Coordinates of all heavy atoms in Angstrom, one line a residue:
Y389 N 18.6 55.4 61.1 CA 17.5 56.2 61.7 C 16.1 55.6 61.6 O 15.3 55.8 62.5 CB 17.4 57.6 61.1 CG 18.7 58.4 61.2 CD1 19.3 59.0 60.1 CD2 19.2 58.7 62.5 CE1 20.5 59.8 60.3 CE2 20.3 59.5 62.7 CZ 21.0 60.0 61.6 OH 22.1 60.7 61.7
N390 N 15.9 54.8 60.6 CA 14.5 54.3 60.4 C 14.5 52.7 60.4 O 13.4 52.2 60.2 CB 13.9 54.8 59.1 CG 14.0 56.3 59.0 OD1 14.9 56.9 58.4 ND2 13.0 57.0 59.6
R391 N 15.6 52.1 60.5 CA 15.7 50.6 60.4 C 15.1 50.1 59.2 O 14.4 49.0 59.2 CB 15.1 50.0 61.7 CG 15.8 50.4 63.0 CD 15.2 49.8 64.2 NE 15.9 50.2 65.4 CZ 15.6 49.8 66.6 NH1 14.6 48.9 66.8 NH2 16.3 50.2 67.7
I392 N 15.4 50.7 58.0 CA 14.9 50.3 56.7 C 16.1 49.8 55.9 O 17.1 50.6 55.8 CB 14.2 51.5 56.0 CG1 13.0 52.0 56.8 CG2 13.8 51.0 54.6 CD1 11.9 51.0 56.9
S393 N 16.0 48.6 55.4 CA 17.2 48.1 54.7 C 16.8 47.6 53.3 O 17.6 47.2 52.5 CB 17.8 46.9 55.4 OG 16.9 45.9 55.7
N394 N 15.5 47.7 53.0 CA 15.0 47.2 51.7 C 14.8 48.4 50.7 O 13.8 49.1 50.8 CB 13.7 46.5 51.8 CG 13.3 45.8 50.5 OD1 14.0 45.6 49.6 ND2 12.0 45.5 50.4
F395 N 15.8 48.7 49.9 CA 15.7 49.8 48.9 C 16.5 49.6 47.7 O 17.4 48.7 47.7 CB 16.1 51.1 49.6 CG 17.5 51.0 50.3 CD1 18.7 51.1 49.5 CD2 17.6 50.8 51.7 CE1 19.9 51.0 50.1 CE2 18.8 50.7 52.3 CZ 20.0 50.8 51.5
S396 N 16.2 50.3 46.6 CA 17.0 50.3 45.4 C 17.8 51.6 45.4 O 17.5 52.6 46.1 CB 16.1 50.2 44.2 OG 15.3 49.0 44.2
I397 N 18.9 51.6 44.6 CA 19.7 52.8 44.4 C 19.7 53.3 43.0 O 20.0 52.5 42.1 CB 21.1 52.6 44.9 CG1 21.2 52.1 46.3 CG2 22.0 53.8 44.7 CD1 22.6 51.7 46.8
I398 N 19.2 54.5 42.8 CA 19.3 55.1 41.4 C 20.0 56.5 41.6 O 19.4 57.4 42.2 CB 18.0 55.3 40.8 CG1 17.3 53.9 40.6 CG2 18.1 56.0 39.4 CD1 15.9 54.0 39.9
H399 N 21.2 56.7 41.2 CA 21.9 57.9 41.3 C 21.4 59.0 40.4 O 20.9 58.7 39.3 CB 23.4 57.7 41.0 CG 24.1 56.8 41.9 ND1 24.7 55.6 41.4 CD2 24.4 56.8 43.2 CE1 25.3 55.0 42.4 NE2 25.1 55.7 43.5
P400 N 21.3 60.2 40.9 CA 21.0 61.4 40.0 C 22.1 61.5 39.0 O 23.1 60.8 39.0 CB 21.0 62.6 41.0 CG 21.0 62.0 42.3 CD 21.7 60.7 42.3
G401 N 21.9 62.4 38.0 CA 22.9 62.6 37.0 C 23.5 64.0 37.0 O 23.2 64.8 37.9
C402 N 24.4 64.2 36.2 CA 25.0 65.6 36.0 C 24.9 65.9 34.5 O 24.9 65.0 33.7 CB 26.4 65.7 36.5 SG 27.6 64.8 35.6

Side-chain angles (χ1 to χ4, degrees):
Y389 298 124
N390 308 97
R391 298 184 180 180
I392 301 292
S393 56
N394 186 20
F395 52 79
S396 302
I397 301 175
I398 300 180
H399 296 119
C402 68

